[in-house]
Amino acid sequence: QEICIKEAKLEAPASAQQPGADCTTQPFARQGDAMVAASSCTLPGNMKADSTIRVTGDFNSRYVTEVTTKMDPAPTPQMAQTKVTMTAERIGDCPAGQ
């Protein structure tokens, strides 16, 4: 997906916490070449979800975000542990007129 961003603005991310969830978070901290954060949530039905967020890259032209989540008890066996990887990369200036 390509998105044209003309102006950088630093804003706190919106909370993605599920209604009824009780979460604690560990803020981002440097670990070697990465910025790492974590969250632990108790969800309705006494399900626990632990997530680790790891971001690497030069943070100017490219970065990679990896989110690993473990759920117990898992709603399905495939959801016991999931990993999502997102890559953001600057590919050039916005097209004229945008």
Side-chain angles (χ1 to χ4, degrees):
Q1 177 181 23
E2 289 184 20
I3 300 172
C4 180
I5 301 172
K6 288 185 175 185
E7 186 178 320
K9 293 183 181 180
L10 182 60
E11 298 178 8
S15 174
Q17 184 170 315
Q18 177 179 335
D22 179 21
C23 298
T24 58
T25 59
Q26 178 185 30
F28 278 97
R30 175 136 328 257
Q31 288 185 5
D33 67 343
M35 294 297 292
V36 179
S39 71
S40 182
C41 298
T42 301
L43 308 170
N46 211 29
M47 181 186 313
K48 188 169 183 180
D50 294 316
S51 296
T52 302
I53 304 100
R54 180 179 170 82
V55 186
T56 56
D58 67 15
F59 299 97
N60 288 310
S61 62
R62 185 175 193 275
Y63 62 90
V64 177
T65 303
E66 296 175 340
V67 181
T68 303
T69 302
K70 296 178 182 178
M71 300 182 82
D72 183 30
T76 67
Q78 297 85 354
M79 292 180 71
Q81 179 170 316
T82 59
K83 183 174 182 179
V84 175
T85 302
M86 298 166 279
T87 301
E89 184 173 27
R90 185 181 195 289
I91 57 174
D93 293 336
C94 293
Q98 281 193 353

